[in-house]
């Protein structure tokens, strides 16, 4: 018989004859791959668990603890969480973005307010730019108790979400509702206010810190010889003008030059403006195209044509001279010397965006990358004390989700700096992989598909993708495999040959009765989600955590920063 001492509960001791136990099970809070992949740092697995039980408000509150714009993200995020989802190895990834959108839309319909903010800190923070990064930073700083004022150069908040993403992907009413909720917790947004002297405004407003969050609203240009050219405009300006109600006349045939997501949006937009043909010209092939696959698929579905491995060399009047490219052994496009002529009524350049950061040249200590981006340290601070930056204006990937993540991270560093301390991000843990799971109890379950507006009805800017129903959202959330975290399936309880595992009640997990456990490891082998690891008897962490009555399987998940 194995017996545990009352004093330490640290080690099983052999009584009489027989083997001494060498290990015992411990429930570990591992990092799910979806959480690890989310640029906004959402605790995805946790809110999916709440949603699948119908606890929608609790799920939404868990979600907005990290991201204040779930209805927006559920529509426009490129959802890398789904690319990383282990379920893709079983049948198809969980449609995380669709459940997120459902929660965001439900919160708007129900009028749920954000959770209450902390007590006022007496500190004031100026945020420059009301795009995704500025809104996120303002929200999190306000939740931490700081007074926040966002100053935006444009006539409306939202930045590129408002003026760069077409309404058929992001209806403006949904965007403005979520922004209104941010204002409701006390964030002051001042529009039509262009900040040109940061230090002067910081001093005049009595601000203790500044967060710069100016989006990439300037379209990049390329030197293409042009003579008597037809109308040539950049995609950023086109999308901005359309969102402002100032749609230009482009003619019947429009060429869009570029291969990113903005090129897809521009091409689908010109079709809605009445063009008979929208042709995308891109210098490489689809494999190397920067646009996300689903955006390319949607464009092609709407009749957008794509001319791969082609680059524009010259524009004379309505004629474009283009050259055919071919890929070398490294996958890079190379000229072939083969040319042809295309005819267009207008040309849209979609070659990327950059930030106009010139107004910061006068601020001492601020350093810039070669493309004009602002350099920041690990704490998101520029070279000038008290001035932080994030989003599209710092080096790195440009997207709504990355920008929202920057805003949250900057808020935590700013909060710490205002208190005279340093914010330490929690240590990263390797995410659970599919091979670490044991899935005999899981059956294939088809992914829920979001309905879409019929092709014949897509001549306007009405939203194309529709949301899930409550039943569909619960089902989809229930497809989560709970990778790395206990969801109380009772496999360990049923499999233990010594009845050494005791239930503690729903939401409280299990504990091991060490006077019964032999360390056989069957519970570990039967855990479907790799939430159990076998702990060696010796060592500084050999004792199960917590006093009697506390769970060894804490029922919830590790948050990724």
């Amino acid at each position: 018989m194995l017996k545990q001492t009352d004093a330490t509960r640290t080690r099983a001791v052999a009584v009489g004859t027989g083997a001494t136990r060498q290990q015992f099970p411990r429930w570990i809070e591992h990092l799910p791959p979806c959480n690890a992949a989310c640029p906004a740092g959402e605790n995805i697995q946790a809110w999916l668990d709440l949603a699948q039980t119908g606890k929608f408000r609790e799920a939404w509150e868990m979600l907005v603890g990290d991201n204040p714009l779930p209805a927006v993200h559920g529509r426009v995020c490129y959802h890398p969480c789904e690319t990383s989802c282990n379920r893709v190895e079983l049948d198809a990834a969980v449609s995380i973005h669709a459940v997120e959108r459902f929660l965001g839309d439900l919160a708007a319909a129900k009028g749920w307010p954000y959770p209450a903010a902390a007590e006022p800190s007496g500190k004031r923070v100026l945020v420059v730019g009301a795009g995704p990064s500025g809104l996120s930073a303002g929200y999190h700083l306000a939740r931490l108790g700081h007074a926040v004022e966002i100053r935006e150069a444009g006539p409306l908040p939202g930045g590129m979400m408002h003026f760069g993403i077409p309404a058929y992907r992001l209806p403006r009413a949904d965007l403005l509702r979520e922004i209104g909720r941010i204002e409701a917790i006390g964030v002051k947004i001042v529009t039509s206010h262009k900040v040109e002297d940061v230090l002067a405004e910081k001093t005049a407003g009595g601000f203790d810190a500044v967060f710069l969050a100016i989006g990439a609203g300037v379209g990049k240009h390329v030197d293409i010889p042009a003579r008597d050219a037809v109308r040539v405009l950049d995609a950023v300006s086109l999308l901005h003008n359309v969102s402002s109600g100032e749609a230009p006349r482009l003619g019947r045939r429009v060429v869009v030059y570029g291969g990113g997501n903005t090129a897809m949006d521009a091409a689908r937009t010109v079709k809605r403006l009445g063009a008979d043909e929208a042709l995308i010209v891109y210098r490489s092939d689809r494999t190397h195209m920067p646009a996300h696959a689903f955006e390319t698929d949607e464009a092609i579905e709407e009749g957008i044509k794509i001319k791969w491995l082609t680059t524009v060399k010259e524009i004379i009047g309505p004629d474009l001279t283009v050259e055919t490219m071919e890929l070398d052994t490294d996958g890079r496009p190379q000229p072939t010397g083969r040319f042809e002529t295309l005819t267009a009524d207008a040309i849209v350049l979609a070659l990327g965006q950059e930030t106009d950061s010139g107004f910061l040249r006068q601020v001492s200590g601020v350093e810039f990358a070669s493309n004009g981006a602002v350099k920041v340290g690990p704490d998101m601070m520029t070279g000038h004390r008290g001035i932080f930056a994030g989003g599209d204006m710092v080096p790195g990937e440009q997207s709504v989700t990355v920008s929202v993540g920057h805003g949250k991270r900057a808020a935590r560093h700013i909060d710490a700096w205002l208190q005279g301390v340093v914010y330490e991000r929690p240590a990263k843990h390797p995410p659970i992989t599919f091979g670490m799971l044991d899935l005999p109890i899981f059956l294939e379950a088809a992914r829920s598909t979001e309905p879409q507006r019929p092709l014949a009805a897509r001549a306007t800017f009405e939203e194309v993708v529709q949301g899930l129903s409550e039943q569909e959202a619960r089902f989809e959330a229930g497809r989560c495999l709970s990778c790395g975290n206990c969801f109380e399936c009772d496999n360990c309880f049923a499999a233990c040959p010594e009845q050494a595992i005791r239930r503690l009640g729903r939401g409280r997990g299990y504990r091991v009765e060490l006077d019964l456990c032999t360390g056989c490891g069957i519970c570990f082998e039967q855990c479907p989600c790799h939430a159990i690891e076998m702990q060696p008897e010796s060592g500084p962490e050999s004792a199960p955590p917590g006093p009697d009555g506390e769970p060894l399987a804490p029922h919830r998940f590790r948050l990724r920063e």
Side-chain angles (χ1 to χ4, degrees), residues 10 14 33 95 154 162 197 313 348 390 435 448 493 509:
T10 60
S95 189
H162 194 114
D197 189 331
K313 304 297 290 185
V348 179
S448 302
F493 175 80

Side-chain angles (χ1 to χ4, degrees), residues 48-85:
L48 282 177
D49 178 68
L50 291 165
Q52 62 96 13
T53 62
K55 297 178 180 178
F56 297 131
R57 182 159 184 172
E58 292 93 329
W60 176 78
E61 289 182 349
M62 172 73 71
L63 202 169
V64 298
D66 298 305
N67 177 4
L69 303 168
V72 171
H73 279 243
R75 289 170 165 85
V76 305
C77 179
Y78 60 99
H79 38 78
C81 54
E82 296 180 24
T83 304
S84 300
C85 177

Side-chain angles (χ1 to χ4, degrees), residues 112-171:
W112 295 336
Y114 286 134
E119 290 297 317
S121 67
K123 302 293 185 179
R124 287 170 51 77
V125 181
L126 170 64
V127 176
V128 183
S133 193
L135 290 169
S136 174
Y139 163 79
H140 287 288
L141 286 165
R143 290 281 304 272
L144 291 166
H146 306 303
V148 181
E149 182 172 321
I150 301 177
R151 295 179 179 174
E152 164 61 39
L156 292 167
M160 291 301 289
M161 294 186 296
H162 194 114
F163 294 106
I165 299 176
Y168 62 78
R169 289 180 56 205
L170 179 58

Side-chain angles (χ1 to χ4, degrees), residues 238-249:
L238 169 68
L239 296 172
H240 185 284
N241 290 340
V242 172
S243 294
S244 302
E246 301 171 358
R249 294 181 179 274

Side-chain angles (χ1 to χ4, degrees), residues 456-504:
R458 296 192 200 176
T460 70
F461 286 87
E462 293 295 318
E463 186 172 17
V464 171
V465 178
Q466 310 299 300
L468 299 180
S469 67
E470 178 179 325
Q471 181 179 0
E472 291 168 333
R474 287 191 63 174
F475 172 81
E476 195 58 32
R479 294 180 66 242
C480 174
L481 300 177
S482 196
C483 305
N485 290 281
C486 176
F487 65 100
E488 300 180 14
C489 67
D490 279 354
N491 269 26
C492 57
F493 175 80
C496 179
E498 306 298 332
Q499 297 182 333
I501 294 176
R502 180 160 63 92
R503 292 193 192 103
L504 296 177

Side-chain angles (χ1 to χ4, degrees), residues 383-408:
H384 191 102
R385 280 183 57 79
I387 297 183
F388 300 75
D392 289 349
M393 71 182 305
V394 302
E397 183 183 358
Q398 295 180 345
S399 76
V400 170
T401 313
V402 169
S403 293
V404 166
H406 280 190
K408 181 180 75 170

Side-chain angles (χ1 to χ4, degrees), residues 103-428:
L103 293 173
D105 287 350
L106 183 63
K110 299 285 189 181
W112 295 336
Y114 286 134
E119 290 297 317
S121 67
K123 302 293 185 179
R124 287 170 51 77
V125 181
L126 170 64
V127 176
V128 183
S133 193
L135 290 169
S136 174
Y139 163 79
H140 287 288
L141 286 165
R143 290 281 304 272
L144 291 166
H146 306 303
V148 181
E149 182 172 321
I150 301 177
R151 295 179 179 174
E152 164 61 39
L156 292 167
M160 291 301 289
M161 294 186 296
H162 194 114
F163 294 106
I165 299 176
Y168 62 78
R169 289 180 56 205
L170 179 58
R172 297 303 179 255
D174 295 291
L175 171 63
L176 292 175
R177 266 195 297 268
E178 295 211 308
I179 294 175
R181 190 182 279 114
I182 293 174
E183 291 181 284
I185 65 169
V187 175
K188 182 180 180 181
I189 301 178
V190 180
T191 57
S192 301
H193 184 132
K194 186 174 183 179
V195 173
E196 296 180 337
D197 189 331
V198 173
L199 298 181
E201 299 215 16
K202 177 177 182 289
T203 301
F207 294 105
D208 300 287
V210 178
F211 178 60
L212 304 171
I214 299 170
V218 180
K220 293 181 181 178
H221 293 277
V222 64
D223 292 328
I224 301 175
R227 186 167 67 252
D228 300 323
V230 295
R231 184 164 194 182
V232 179
L233 62 162
D234 69 84
V236 175
S237 297
L238 169 68
L239 296 172
H240 185 284
N241 290 340
V242 172
S243 294
S244 302
E246 301 171 358
R249 294 181 179 274
L250 300 174
R252 296 176 60 251
R253 194 167 195 261
V254 180
V255 168
V256 177
Y257 186 32
N261 297 317
T262 301
M264 302 301 142
D265 284 338
R268 296 174 70 183
T269 294
V270 301
K271 285 280 285 186
R272 285 166 169 78
L273 293 178
D276 293 334
E277 181 180 344
L279 174 68
I280 291 174
V281 173
Y282 179 57
R283 65 196 308 266
S284 191
D285 62 359
R286 175 157 186 174
T287 301
H288 297 88
M289 198 174 201
H292 300 303
F294 70 91
E295 295 210 35
T296 305
D297 291 340
E298 290 172 1
I300 293 173
E301 185 181 45
E302 292 185 4
I304 306 301
K305 298 178 181 179
I306 303 178
K307 193 170 181 62
W308 310 103
L309 291 167
T310 304
T311 188
V312 177
K313 304 297 290 185
E314 186 179 49
I315 306 171
I316 300 178
D319 296 330
L320 286 71
T321 300
V322 299
E323 182 176 8
T324 300
M325 311 293 280
E326 63 182 14
L327 301 182
D328 61 19
T329 55
D330 295 321
R332 292 175 299 202
Q334 302 294 337
T336 64
R338 300 193 300 272
F339 299 90
E340 64 177 298
T341 300
L342 304 176
T343 301
D345 298 307
I347 302 166
V348 179
L349 303 179
L351 304 171
Q353 298 104 255
E354 55 191 9
T355 301
D356 182 6
S357 57
F359 74 102
L360 293 174
R361 300 285 174 180
Q362 60 184 316
V363 181
S364 64
V366 176
E367 297 182 16
F368 302 87
S370 58
N371 64 352
V374 176
K375 294 182 179 180
V376 294
D379 59 356
M380 310 293 288
M381 192 187 295
T382 68
H384 191 102
R385 280 183 57 79
I387 297 183
F388 300 75
D392 289 349
M393 71 182 305
V394 302
E397 183 183 358
Q398 295 180 345
S399 76
V400 170
T401 313
V402 169
S403 293
V404 166
H406 280 190
K408 181 180 75 170
R409 195 193 323 167
R412 293 181 177 179
H413 284 295
I414 293 169
D415 174 64
W417 185 79
L418 290 173
Q419 298 179 60
V421 299
V422 175
Y423 172 68
E424 297 289 347
R425 297 179 67 187
K428 292 184 178 180

